Amino acid sequence: VEALLREFGCRRVMVALDYRGGRVVVRGWTSPTDLGVLEALEIFSSLGVRIFLLTDVGRDGMLIGPDLDGVREACRLGFDVVVGGGVCSVDDIVALRDAGAAGVVLGRSLYEGRVDLREALSAVGG
């Protein structure tokens, strides 16, 4: 990560953290770690990372809404946070923006037509 940051800079490197129940998971979401998401954010930020992709794997593809509380906590730390997992409506996208998220990953909600991209962009001023 440090080499990537030196080569590309902190505005062009994003670290993805997948988590379930507040704990980072690895190896294709199959192995939980003892590392909390906020801890991981602090560790990577100490290296100079400023942009994170946070995916709540328990919500990913489930269309049950994003982890707004977790996003708020991460955003309070001052990072640019892109959110994956759980988004099922334009209202979710607006709520993520209001929670401080810098972006959102749309998957199933877009594929299934639950979110219209033009409507979503319009709703968040994009």
Side-chain angles (χ1 to χ4, degrees):
V1 171
E2 290 171 313
L4 290 170
L5 289 166
R6 278 192 304 277
E7 184 171 344
F8 297 105
C10 67
R11 301 310 304 166
R12 297 180 72 196
V13 173
M14 176 188 292
V15 168
L17 296 172
D18 299 333
Y19 68 98
R20 178 181 291 116
R23 296 280 178 213
V24 174
V25 293
V26 295
R27 293 186 179 89
W29 305 350
T30 61
S31 298
T33 69
D34 291 331
L35 192 61
V37 175
L38 297 179
E39 266 182 285
L41 289 168
E42 292 291 349
I43 290 168
F44 283 107
S45 73
S46 73
L47 301 176
V49 176
R50 294 292 171 262
I51 308 169
F52 294 91
L53 169 60
L54 299 182
T55 302
D56 182 338
V57 301
R59 295 171 185 266
D60 194 60
M62 302 304 292
L63 302 170
I64 58 173
D67 174 19
L68 290 172
D69 291 334
V71 170
R72 280 187 200 96
E73 285 184 66
C75 290
R76 274 191 216 116
L77 297 174
F79 306 118
D80 287 339
V81 176
V82 177
V83 180
V87 174
C88 63
S89 69
V90 171
D91 289 342
D92 286 340
I93 297 167
V94 170
L96 285 167
R97 181 207 55 202
D98 293 347
V104 62
V105 175
L106 299 177
R108 188 171 177 189
S109 61
L110 192 60
Y111 299 138
E112 290 188 1
R114 293 173 184 243
V115 170
D116 177 82
L117 193 52
R118 284 191 177 102
E119 180 186 349
L121 289 170
S122 176
V124 294

